[in-house]
């Protein structure tokens, strides 16, 4: 489908095809050669071109946040819908002052505690941030990534980077450079390969433009962690009850199905034993019909499935492993060309809330209680 972006008057099929250079940089050893490569990447950004780069959450597709022409290229390269704004990545707090109209005390406390890290904060924007970057909104979402390559790139270029996840719109977010290449080859001039990302899920988004802070997207920084620093935090209703409601999410991107694998996906909720039995029965039926089924299990349950295409998403003892593997598994099942994906559910609390939010979106909110 060709997406038309009304704010920027650009279509997703307007991308000029080009050669995509991939450079490798070790985030723990930014030596002279790496600095030279980063300078080449910085020169592209200073010219309004795009560079994909690693962060601790997922890979980002970066362009100058203050240039509407760069924002246009980002939307076109991703095929991103017109009203889904971009997060601006900064390397130090002084840069926030350049783009945020005011920085309330609660935001200062959050930045102090969680930056650099996987927390995005929504501020009222200053004039200099183009509406092309903010999807027409008068607010701007800002984050300081906890990744040497990302921060060095911003520092060397002197450019604040508007950077959505570096996938084609609707595909699972990329957690390694190979996945970026799959989606962005010939659409952007450069990809910086910094290896596998650490966290694997997008940042938590919190809005501080009202008196009470509100979570717009759950992520690695949980509600409990935020509340420890600034007291009670609200959660956008759209996250809690996204289905069948006319309520408009405050993070426009949250309304899209997003993160979707190619196969038809369903989640199964209930006692582990019943879920396994149910999935085994359904899989047998599907296989009889000649369909290939992928099952998302956990380390604790993987041995109990009969089907052959079963992958563990991680251990329930450490949800960070599940967050880390989630998009990777969805892409793996895409590669295996499965027709159907059946997945277990996880506890919808703390980091589990972010995991379930992404799984539900990937499944188009199809959940069967067994
Ligand atoms: P992505 O870059 O793919 O991680 O998506 C960025 C997310 O941030 C989307 O869900 C956007 O809707 C959200 N976002 C970006 N800017 C704003 C903003 N100014 N207000 C609310 N949500 C925002
Ligand atoms: Mg994304």
């Amino acid at each position: 489908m060709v997406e038309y972006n009304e704010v920027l008057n650009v279509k997703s099929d307007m991308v000029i095809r080009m050669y995509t250079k991939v450079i490798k940089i070790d985030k723990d050893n930014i030596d002279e050669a790496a600095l030279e490569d980063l300078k080449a990447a910085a020169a592209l950004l200073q010219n309004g071109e795009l560079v994909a780069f690693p962060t601790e959450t997922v890979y980002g597709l970066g362009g100058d946040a203050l240039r509407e022409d760069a924002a246009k290229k980002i939307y076109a390269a991703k095929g991103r819908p017109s009203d889904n704004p971009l997060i601006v990545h900064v390397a130090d707090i002084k840069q926030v002052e350049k783009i945020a109209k005011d920085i309330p005390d609660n935001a200062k406390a959050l930045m102090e505690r969680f930056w650099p890290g996987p927390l995005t904060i929504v501020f009222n924007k200053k004039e200099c941030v183009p509406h092309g970057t903010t999807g027409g909104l008068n607010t701007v979402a800002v984050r300081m990534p906890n990744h040497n390559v990302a921060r060095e790139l911003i520092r060397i270029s002197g450019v604040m980077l508007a950077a959505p996840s570096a996938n084609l719109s609707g595909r699972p977010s990329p957690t390694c450079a190979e996945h970026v290449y799959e989606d962005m080859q010939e659409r952007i001039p450069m990809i910086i390969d910094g290896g596998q990302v650490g966290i694997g899920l997008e940042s938590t988004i919190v809005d501080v433009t009202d008196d009470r802070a509100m979570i717009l997207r759950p992520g690695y920084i949980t509600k409990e962690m935020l509340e420890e620093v600034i007291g009670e935090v609200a959660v956008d209703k759209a996250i809690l009850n996204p289905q069948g409601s006319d309520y408009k999410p405050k993070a426009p991107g949250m309304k899209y199905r997003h993160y979707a694998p190619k196969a038809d996906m369903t989640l199964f909720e209930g006692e582990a034993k019943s879920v396994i039995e149910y999935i085994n029965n359904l899989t047998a039926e599907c296989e009889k019909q000649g369909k290939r089924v992928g099952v998302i299990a956990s380390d604790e349950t993987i041995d109990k499935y009969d089907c052959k295409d079963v992958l563990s998403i991680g251990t329930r003892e450490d949800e960070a492993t599940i967050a880390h593997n989630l998009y990777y598994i969805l892409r793996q099942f895409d590669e295996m060309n499965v027709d159907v994906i059946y997945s277990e559910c996880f506890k919808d609390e703390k980091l589990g809330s972010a995991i379930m939010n992404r799984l539900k979106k990937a499944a188009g909110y199809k959940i069967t209680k067994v």
Side-chain angles (χ1 to χ4, degrees):
M1 184 173 66
V2 177
E3 291 280 3
Y4 178 64
N5 183 322
E6 284 166 22
V7 178
L8 292 168
N9 187 24
V10 69
K11 285 186 189 159
S12 59
D13 67 350
M14 283 179 175
V15 183
I16 298 164
R17 296 279 156 177
M18 62 185 89
Y19 173 71
T20 303
K21 187 170 179 182
V22 181
I23 56 174
K24 266 193 197 306
I25 295 185
D26 176 359
K27 73 173 180 353
D28 299 316
N29 179 26
I30 301 192
D31 55 12
E32 283 300 312
L35 280 176
E36 283 309 306
D37 282 339
L38 282 172
K39 278 185 202 156
L44 285 168
L45 293 167
Q46 287 160 349
N47 278 324
E49 298 297 337
L50 308 186
V51 174
F53 62 97
T55 79
E56 80 280 30
T57 57
V58 298
Y59 271 76
L61 177 59
D64 187 339
L66 302 187
R67 283 177 66 159
E68 197 142 272
D69 59 336
K72 260 187 196 183
K73 287 179 187 160
I74 292 176
Y75 281 92
K78 276 183 65 83
R80 188 171 174 103
S82 57
D83 57 351
N84 192 358
L86 310 174
I87 293 173
V88 179
H89 292 64
V90 298
D92 61 59
I93 289 181
K94 282 219 168 59
Q95 287 183 315
V96 185
E97 290 161 9
K98 290 191 184 147
I99 54 177
K101 215 180 210 169
D102 47 293
I103 305 180
D105 287 342
N106 58 359
K108 283 185 190 142
L110 292 175
M111 287 174 349
E112 170 91 4
R113 172 70 185 79
F114 296 112
W115 280 11
L119 179 69
T120 295
I121 304 178
V122 175
F123 299 97
N124 288 310
K125 80 170 188 72
K126 277 192 175 160
E127 201 66 25
C128 63
V129 186
H131 279 127
T133 297
T134 66
L137 297 175
N138 290 323
T139 53
V140 61
V142 189
R143 172 169 114 78
M144 189 195 294
N146 185 14
H147 197 289
N148 288 340
V149 173
R151 282 208 312 282
E152 277 299 290
L153 183 63
I154 299 165
R155 201 183 55 77
I156 292 172
S157 62
V159 169
M160 286 178 269
L161 295 180
S165 48
N167 51 288
L168 286 173
S169 199
R171 304 247 19 239
S173 299
T175 52
C176 61
E178 290 77 13
H179 292 171
V180 179
Y181 190 78
E182 246 171 58
D183 284 12
M184 288 298 146
Q185 59 182 304
E186 295 182 14
R187 302 176 81 86
I188 60 173
M190 188 179 279
I191 297 170
I192 303 178
D193 179 352
Q196 283 247 354
V197 301
I199 293 176
L201 283 189
E202 301 87 348
S203 57
T204 306
I205 303 179
V206 62
D207 183 339
V208 296
T209 59
D210 278 336
D211 287 343
R212 188 150 68 130
M214 183 186 276
I215 296 175
L216 309 188
R217 175 173 74 184
Y220 190 80
I221 307 289
T222 63
K223 182 171 187 282
E224 291 77 10
M225 288 157 82
L226 296 173
E227 287 184 335
E228 240 175 62
V229 180
I230 56 168
E232 207 185 327
V233 174
V235 178
D236 190 12
K237 274 196 288 186
I239 299 172
L240 301 174
N241 183 21
Q243 266 181 310
S245 98
D246 294 334
Y247 182 77
K248 220 171 133 200
K250 284 191 80 180
M254 291 295 284
K255 68 175 176 285
Y256 295 104
R257 178 172 168 210
H258 243 139
Y259 323 124
K262 289 175 195 154
D264 185 47
M265 179 164 162
T266 308
L267 311 181
F268 294 88
E269 196 182 302
E271 288 291 318
K273 203 166 159 265
S274 332
V275 167
I276 293 163
E277 201 179 294
Y278 201 90
I279 290 181
N280 274 337
N281 288 338
L282 274 185
T283 304
E285 260 175 53
C286 278
E287 285 177 348
K288 252 191 245 158
Q289 293 165 21
K291 285 189 193 155
R292 186 162 179 190
V293 180
V295 173
I296 300 182
S298 46
D299 286 358
E300 289 77 11
T301 57
I302 187 162
D303 293 339
K304 305 195 172 71
Y305 287 97
D306 304 328
C307 63
K308 68 175 193 314
D309 295 320
V310 50
L311 297 174
S312 172
I313 193 171
T315 168
R316 287 169 183 274
E317 297 286 301
D318 178 11
E319 283 175 331
T321 64
I322 297 175
H324 180 82
N325 294 330
L326 197 155
Y327 291 131
Y328 200 88
I329 277 204
L330 294 181
R331 289 224 177 210
Q332 229 172 325
F333 278 138
D334 272 356
E335 255 170 53
M336 290 157 71
N337 272 320
V338 300
D339 303 295
V340 179
I341 299 174
Y342 295 140
S343 174
E344 297 178 358
C345 283
F346 300 88
K347 260 197 229 135
D348 203 339
E349 56 183 46
K350 298 192 179 150
L351 182 53
S353 305
I355 292 167
M356 283 308 297
N357 171 263
R358 307 307 195 274
L359 278 176
K360 282 182 198 165
K361 289 181 95 178
Y365 297 97
K366 279 204 298 292
I367 307 178
T368 302
K369 289 200 166 72
V370 301

Short mmCIF file of all heavy atoms in Angstrom, two decimals, residues 65-66 87-104 107-108 110-112 115-116 119-129 139-145 151 154 159-161 208:
data_model
loop_
_atom_site.label_atom_id
_atom_site.label_comp_id
_atom_site.label_asym_id
_atom_site.label_seq_id
_atom_site.Cartn_x
_atom_site.Cartn_y
_atom_site.Cartn_z
N ALA A 65 16.56 16.53 12.93
CA ALA A 65 15.23 16.77 13.49
C ALA A 65 14.71 18.17 13.19
O ALA A 65 13.51 18.43 13.27
CB ALA A 65 15.27 16.56 15.00
N LEU A 66 15.62 19.09 12.84
CA LEU A 66 15.18 20.46 12.61
C LEU A 66 14.97 20.77 11.13
O LEU A 66 14.73 21.91 10.76
CB LEU A 66 16.19 21.45 13.24
CG LEU A 66 16.42 21.27 14.75
CD1 LEU A 66 17.30 22.38 15.30
CD2 LEU A 66 15.11 21.20 15.52
N ILE A 87 10.52 10.59 17.24
CA ILE A 87 11.19 10.90 18.50
C ILE A 87 12.54 11.55 18.18
O ILE A 87 13.27 11.08 17.30
CB ILE A 87 11.41 9.62 19.33
CG1 ILE A 87 10.05 9.07 19.79
CG2 ILE A 87 12.33 9.89 20.52
CD1 ILE A 87 10.10 7.72 20.48
N VAL A 88 12.86 12.65 18.89
CA VAL A 88 14.13 13.34 18.65
C VAL A 88 15.17 12.83 19.65
O VAL A 88 14.93 12.80 20.86
CB VAL A 88 13.96 14.87 18.81
CG1 VAL A 88 15.30 15.57 18.59
CG2 VAL A 88 12.90 15.39 17.83
N HIS A 89 16.32 12.40 19.12
CA HIS A 89 17.39 11.85 19.96
C HIS A 89 18.46 12.91 20.19
O HIS A 89 18.92 13.54 19.24
CB HIS A 89 18.00 10.61 19.28
CG HIS A 89 17.04 9.46 19.23
ND1 HIS A 89 15.87 9.50 18.51
CD2 HIS A 89 17.05 8.25 19.83
CE1 HIS A 89 15.21 8.36 18.67
NE2 HIS A 89 15.91 7.57 19.46
N VAL A 90 18.83 13.08 21.47
CA VAL A 90 19.82 14.10 21.82
C VAL A 90 21.01 13.43 22.52
O VAL A 90 20.90 12.29 22.98
CB VAL A 90 19.21 15.18 22.76
CG1 VAL A 90 18.08 15.92 22.07
CG2 VAL A 90 18.73 14.56 24.08
N ALA A 91 22.13 14.19 22.59
CA ALA A 91 23.33 13.63 23.23
C ALA A 91 23.58 14.28 24.59
O ALA A 91 24.35 13.77 25.39
CB ALA A 91 24.54 13.81 22.33
N ASP A 92 22.96 15.44 24.84
CA ASP A 92 23.08 16.04 26.18
C ASP A 92 21.86 16.89 26.49
O ASP A 92 21.06 17.22 25.60
CB ASP A 92 24.38 16.83 26.32
CG ASP A 92 24.45 17.98 25.34
OD1 ASP A 92 23.56 18.85 25.37
OD2 ASP A 92 25.38 17.98 24.52
N ILE A 93 21.74 17.25 27.77
CA ILE A 93 20.51 17.91 28.22
C ILE A 93 20.38 19.32 27.65
O ILE A 93 19.28 19.82 27.41
CB ILE A 93 20.42 17.86 29.76
CG1 ILE A 93 20.14 16.39 30.15
CG2 ILE A 93 19.34 18.77 30.31
CD1 ILE A 93 20.01 16.10 31.60
N LYS A 94 21.51 19.96 27.35
CA LYS A 94 21.47 21.32 26.75
C LYS A 94 20.66 21.31 25.46
O LYS A 94 19.99 22.28 25.11
CB LYS A 94 22.89 21.80 26.45
CG LYS A 94 23.62 22.28 27.67
CD LYS A 94 24.47 23.51 27.33
CE LYS A 94 24.97 24.16 28.59
NZ LYS A 94 25.78 23.22 29.41
N GLN A 95 20.77 20.20 24.72
CA GLN A 95 20.04 20.13 23.44
C GLN A 95 18.52 20.13 23.69
O GLN A 95 17.77 20.65 22.86
CB GLN A 95 20.45 18.87 22.67
CG GLN A 95 21.86 18.99 22.08
CD GLN A 95 22.25 17.79 21.24
OE1 GLN A 95 22.04 16.66 21.63
NE2 GLN A 95 22.86 18.05 20.08
N VAL A 96 18.10 19.57 24.81
CA VAL A 96 16.65 19.56 25.11
C VAL A 96 16.15 20.99 25.24
O VAL A 96 15.07 21.34 24.76
CB VAL A 96 16.35 18.79 26.42
CG1 VAL A 96 14.85 18.69 26.63
CG2 VAL A 96 16.98 17.41 26.38
N GLU A 97 16.96 21.84 25.88
CA GLU A 97 16.55 23.24 26.08
C GLU A 97 16.35 23.95 24.73
O GLU A 97 15.59 24.90 24.63
CB GLU A 97 17.62 23.98 26.90
CG GLU A 97 17.63 23.50 28.35
CD GLU A 97 18.92 23.85 29.08
OE1 GLU A 97 19.74 24.63 28.54
OE2 GLU A 97 19.09 23.33 30.21
N LYS A 98 17.03 23.47 23.70
CA LYS A 98 16.89 24.11 22.38
C LYS A 98 15.54 23.81 21.73
O LYS A 98 15.07 24.55 20.89
CB LYS A 98 18.00 23.61 21.43
CG LYS A 98 19.35 24.13 21.81
CD LYS A 98 20.34 23.84 20.70
CE LYS A 98 21.73 24.28 21.13
NZ LYS A 98 22.78 23.47 20.60
N ILE A 99 14.94 22.68 22.10
CA ILE A 99 13.72 22.27 21.38
C ILE A 99 12.46 22.21 22.26
O ILE A 99 11.35 22.24 21.74
CB ILE A 99 13.92 20.91 20.67
CG1 ILE A 99 14.39 19.83 21.64
CG2 ILE A 99 14.88 21.04 19.50
CD1 ILE A 99 14.53 18.45 21.00
N ALA A 100 12.65 22.15 23.60
CA ALA A 100 11.48 22.09 24.50
C ALA A 100 11.18 23.49 25.03
O ALA A 100 12.09 24.20 25.46
CB ALA A 100 11.76 21.14 25.66
N LYS A 101 9.90 23.88 24.99
CA LYS A 101 9.52 25.23 25.41
C LYS A 101 9.79 25.39 26.91
O LYS A 101 10.26 26.41 27.35
CB LYS A 101 8.02 25.39 25.14
CG LYS A 101 7.63 26.77 24.71
CD LYS A 101 6.15 26.78 24.48
CE LYS A 101 5.77 27.79 23.43
NZ LYS A 101 4.39 27.61 23.03
N ASP A 102 9.41 24.36 27.66
CA ASP A 102 9.66 24.40 29.10
C ASP A 102 9.99 22.99 29.56
O ASP A 102 9.54 22.02 28.96
CB ASP A 102 8.43 24.91 29.85
CG ASP A 102 7.17 24.22 29.37
OD1 ASP A 102 6.76 24.43 28.20
OD2 ASP A 102 6.60 23.44 30.12
N ILE A 103 10.80 22.91 30.62
CA ILE A 103 11.15 21.58 31.15
C ILE A 103 10.66 21.52 32.59
O ILE A 103 11.30 22.04 33.50
CB ILE A 103 12.68 21.33 31.09
CG1 ILE A 103 13.18 21.54 29.65
CG2 ILE A 103 13.01 19.93 31.59
CD1 ILE A 103 14.66 21.32 29.46
N PRO A 104 9.47 20.93 32.81
CA PRO A 104 8.92 20.89 34.16
C PRO A 104 9.81 20.10 35.12
O PRO A 104 10.63 19.29 34.69
CB PRO A 104 7.55 20.20 34.00
CG PRO A 104 7.43 19.79 32.59
CD PRO A 104 8.62 20.25 31.82
N ALA A 107 10.01 16.33 34.81
CA ALA A 107 10.82 15.88 33.67
C ALA A 107 12.30 15.94 34.03
O ALA A 107 13.08 15.04 33.69
CB ALA A 107 10.53 16.74 32.45
N LYS A 108 12.67 17.01 34.76
CA LYS A 108 14.09 17.14 35.17
C LYS A 108 14.48 15.94 36.02
O LYS A 108 15.56 15.35 35.83
CB LYS A 108 14.30 18.43 35.96
CG LYS A 108 14.36 19.65 35.07
CD LYS A 108 14.69 20.89 35.86
CE LYS A 108 14.49 22.10 34.96
NZ LYS A 108 13.91 23.24 35.64
N LEU A 110 13.14 12.98 36.04
CA LEU A 110 13.17 11.75 35.22
C LEU A 110 14.44 11.69 34.37
O LEU A 110 15.06 10.63 34.22
CB LEU A 110 11.93 11.66 34.32
CG LEU A 110 10.59 11.44 35.04
CD1 LEU A 110 9.43 11.49 34.05
CD2 LEU A 110 10.58 10.12 35.80
N MET A 111 14.81 12.84 33.81
CA MET A 111 16.03 12.87 32.97
C MET A 111 17.25 12.54 33.82
O MET A 111 18.13 11.79 33.40
CB MET A 111 16.18 14.26 32.31
CG MET A 111 15.17 14.44 31.22
SD MET A 111 15.03 16.05 30.40
CE MET A 111 15.90 17.19 31.24
N GLU A 112 17.26 13.11 35.00
CA GLU A 112 18.38 12.89 35.93
C GLU A 112 18.51 11.39 36.25
O GLU A 112 19.60 10.83 36.27
CB GLU A 112 18.07 13.69 37.21
CG GLU A 112 18.95 13.43 38.38
CD GLU A 112 20.15 14.38 38.38
OE1 GLU A 112 20.24 15.28 37.51
OE2 GLU A 112 20.98 14.18 39.24
N TRP A 115 18.17 9.05 32.16
CA TRP A 115 18.96 9.35 30.95
C TRP A 115 20.45 9.23 31.22
O TRP A 115 20.87 9.62 32.31
CB TRP A 115 18.64 10.76 30.46
CG TRP A 115 17.37 10.87 29.68
CD1 TRP A 115 16.39 9.92 29.55
CD2 TRP A 115 16.93 12.01 28.94
NE1 TRP A 115 15.37 10.41 28.77
CE2 TRP A 115 15.68 11.68 28.38
CE3 TRP A 115 17.47 13.27 28.68
CZ2 TRP A 115 14.96 12.58 27.59
CZ3 TRP A 115 16.77 14.16 27.90
CH2 TRP A 115 15.52 13.80 27.35
N PRO A 116 21.26 8.76 30.29
CA PRO A 116 20.80 8.20 29.02
C PRO A 116 20.09 6.87 29.28
O PRO A 116 20.52 6.10 30.14
CB PRO A 116 22.09 7.98 28.24
CG PRO A 116 23.15 7.87 29.29
CD PRO A 116 22.71 8.71 30.44
N LEU A 119 13.91 5.98 27.95
CA LEU A 119 12.74 6.78 28.33
C LEU A 119 12.61 7.98 27.41
O LEU A 119 13.54 8.79 27.31
CB LEU A 119 12.86 7.26 29.78
CG LEU A 119 11.68 8.11 30.25
CD1 LEU A 119 10.41 7.27 30.38
CD2 LEU A 119 11.98 8.81 31.57
N THR A 120 11.46 8.10 26.75
CA THR A 120 11.18 9.25 25.89
C THR A 120 10.22 10.18 26.62
O THR A 120 9.24 9.71 27.21
CB THR A 120 10.53 8.77 24.57
OG1 THR A 120 11.48 7.97 23.86
CG2 THR A 120 10.11 9.94 23.69
N ILE A 121 10.52 11.47 26.59
CA ILE A 121 9.68 12.44 27.30
C ILE A 121 9.06 13.41 26.29
O ILE A 121 9.75 13.92 25.41
CB ILE A 121 10.52 13.23 28.34
CG1 ILE A 121 11.21 12.24 29.30
CG2 ILE A 121 9.63 14.19 29.13
CD1 ILE A 121 12.11 12.89 30.35
N VAL A 122 7.74 13.63 26.41
CA VAL A 122 7.04 14.53 25.49
C VAL A 122 6.90 15.91 26.13
O VAL A 122 6.33 16.06 27.21
CB VAL A 122 5.64 13.97 25.12
CG1 VAL A 122 4.87 14.96 24.25
CG2 VAL A 122 5.77 12.62 24.42
N PHE A 123 7.46 16.94 25.44
CA PHE A 123 7.43 18.33 25.90
C PHE A 123 6.62 19.19 24.92
O PHE A 123 6.42 18.78 23.77
CB PHE A 123 8.86 18.91 25.89
CG PHE A 123 9.82 18.22 26.79
CD1 PHE A 123 10.69 17.25 26.29
CD2 PHE A 123 9.90 18.55 28.14
CE1 PHE A 123 11.62 16.62 27.12
CE2 PHE A 123 10.83 17.92 28.97
CZ PHE A 123 11.67 16.96 28.46
N ASN A 124 6.24 20.41 25.37
CA ASN A 124 5.75 21.39 24.39
C ASN A 124 6.94 21.81 23.55
O ASN A 124 8.04 22.00 24.08
CB ASN A 124 5.16 22.61 25.11
CG ASN A 124 3.83 22.26 25.77
OD1 ASN A 124 2.96 21.68 25.12
ND2 ASN A 124 3.70 22.56 27.04
N LYS A 125 6.75 21.95 22.25
CA LYS A 125 7.90 22.19 21.38
C LYS A 125 8.16 23.68 21.16
O LYS A 125 7.26 24.50 21.25
CB LYS A 125 7.69 21.49 20.03
CG LYS A 125 6.79 22.20 19.04
CD LYS A 125 6.87 21.53 17.68
CE LYS A 125 6.13 22.35 16.62
NZ LYS A 125 6.83 23.59 16.24
N LYS A 126 9.41 23.97 20.88
CA LYS A 126 9.74 25.33 20.44
C LYS A 126 9.51 25.44 18.94
O LYS A 126 9.45 24.44 18.23
CB LYS A 126 11.22 25.62 20.76
CG LYS A 126 11.43 26.06 22.21
CD LYS A 126 12.84 26.62 22.40
CE LYS A 126 12.97 27.15 23.84
NZ LYS A 126 14.39 27.25 24.23
N GLU A 127 9.44 26.69 18.49
CA GLU A 127 9.19 27.01 17.08
C GLU A 127 10.15 26.29 16.12
O GLU A 127 9.77 25.85 15.04
CB GLU A 127 9.38 28.53 16.94
CG GLU A 127 8.74 29.17 15.76
CD GLU A 127 7.21 29.13 15.81
OE1 GLU A 127 6.62 29.03 16.90
OE2 GLU A 127 6.65 29.17 14.72
N CYS A 128 11.42 26.13 16.55
CA CYS A 128 12.44 25.60 15.63
C CYS A 128 12.20 24.15 15.21
O CYS A 128 12.76 23.68 14.23
CB CYS A 128 13.83 25.72 16.27
SG CYS A 128 14.00 24.75 17.77
N VAL A 129 11.35 23.43 15.95
CA VAL A 129 11.09 22.03 15.57
C VAL A 129 9.96 22.03 14.53
O VAL A 129 8.84 22.45 14.82
CB VAL A 129 10.66 21.16 16.78
CG1 VAL A 129 10.56 19.71 16.38
CG2 VAL A 129 11.60 21.36 17.94
N THR A 139 3.81 19.40 20.24
CA THR A 139 4.69 18.80 21.25
C THR A 139 5.82 18.06 20.53
O THR A 139 5.70 17.74 19.34
CB THR A 139 3.92 17.80 22.12
OG1 THR A 139 3.25 16.88 21.26
CG2 THR A 139 2.90 18.49 23.01
N VAL A 140 6.88 17.80 21.28
CA VAL A 140 7.99 17.04 20.70
C VAL A 140 8.44 15.96 21.69
O VAL A 140 8.55 16.21 22.89
CB VAL A 140 9.17 17.97 20.29
CG1 VAL A 140 9.75 18.72 21.50
CG2 VAL A 140 10.27 17.18 19.59
N ALA A 141 8.68 14.76 21.18
CA ALA A 141 9.13 13.64 22.01
C ALA A 141 10.64 13.57 21.95
O ALA A 141 11.22 13.64 20.86
CB ALA A 141 8.50 12.35 21.50
N VAL A 142 11.30 13.47 23.11
CA VAL A 142 12.78 13.55 23.16
C VAL A 142 13.35 12.40 24.00
O VAL A 142 12.79 12.04 25.03
CB VAL A 142 13.25 14.88 23.80
CG1 VAL A 142 14.75 15.06 23.63
CG2 VAL A 142 12.51 16.06 23.20
N ARG A 143 14.50 11.89 23.54
CA ARG A 143 15.16 10.81 24.30
C ARG A 143 16.67 10.93 24.15
O ARG A 143 17.16 11.37 23.10
CB ARG A 143 14.67 9.49 23.72
CG ARG A 143 15.37 8.27 24.23
CD ARG A 143 14.62 7.03 23.79
NE ARG A 143 15.37 6.22 22.86
CZ ARG A 143 16.36 5.39 23.19
NH1 ARG A 143 16.72 5.29 24.46
NH2 ARG A 143 16.98 4.67 22.28
N MET A 144 17.40 10.53 25.21
CA MET A 144 18.86 10.44 25.12
C MET A 144 19.24 8.97 25.17
O MET A 144 19.11 8.33 26.22
CB MET A 144 19.53 11.19 26.26
CG MET A 144 21.03 11.30 26.07
SD MET A 144 21.91 11.77 27.58
CE MET A 144 21.31 13.42 27.83
N PRO A 145 19.68 8.41 24.04
CA PRO A 145 19.95 6.97 24.02
C PRO A 145 21.19 6.59 24.83
O PRO A 145 22.15 7.36 24.90
CB PRO A 145 20.17 6.67 22.53
CG PRO A 145 20.49 7.97 21.89
CD PRO A 145 19.89 9.06 22.73
N ARG A 151 25.19 8.27 20.59
CA ARG A 151 25.53 9.57 21.17
C ARG A 151 26.73 10.21 20.45
O ARG A 151 26.75 11.43 20.23
CB ARG A 151 25.79 9.46 22.67
CG ARG A 151 24.49 9.35 23.46
CD ARG A 151 24.62 9.90 24.86
NE ARG A 151 25.80 9.42 25.53
CZ ARG A 151 25.91 8.22 26.09
NH1 ARG A 151 24.88 7.40 26.04
NH2 ARG A 151 27.01 7.85 26.69
N ILE A 154 25.50 11.80 17.24
CA ILE A 154 24.81 13.08 17.48
C ILE A 154 25.83 14.17 17.83
O ILE A 154 25.77 15.29 17.33
CB ILE A 154 23.77 12.93 18.61
CG1 ILE A 154 22.70 11.89 18.22
CG2 ILE A 154 23.11 14.27 18.93
CD1 ILE A 154 21.84 11.40 19.38
N VAL A 159 23.97 17.32 15.15
CA VAL A 159 22.60 17.28 14.65
C VAL A 159 21.74 16.44 15.61
O VAL A 159 22.09 15.31 15.92
CB VAL A 159 22.60 16.60 13.24
CG1 VAL A 159 21.18 16.28 12.78
CG2 VAL A 159 23.30 17.49 12.21
N MET A 160 20.65 17.02 16.09
CA MET A 160 19.70 16.22 16.87
C MET A 160 18.96 15.32 15.89
O MET A 160 18.51 15.79 14.83
CB MET A 160 18.72 17.13 17.60
CG MET A 160 19.35 17.82 18.77
SD MET A 160 18.19 18.92 19.58
CE MET A 160 18.51 20.44 18.71
N LEU A 161 18.83 14.05 16.23
CA LEU A 161 18.32 13.09 15.25
C LEU A 161 16.87 12.68 15.48
O LEU A 161 16.56 12.05 16.51
CB LEU A 161 19.20 11.83 15.26
CG LEU A 161 20.64 12.03 14.80
CD1 LEU A 161 21.39 10.71 14.84
CD2 LEU A 161 20.67 12.61 13.38
N VAL A 208 4.79 14.90 29.75
CA VAL A 208 4.84 15.76 30.94
C VAL A 208 4.22 17.13 30.66
O VAL A 208 4.46 18.09 31.39
CB VAL A 208 6.29 15.93 31.46
CG1 VAL A 208 6.86 14.60 31.92
CG2 VAL A 208 7.19 16.58 30.40
#
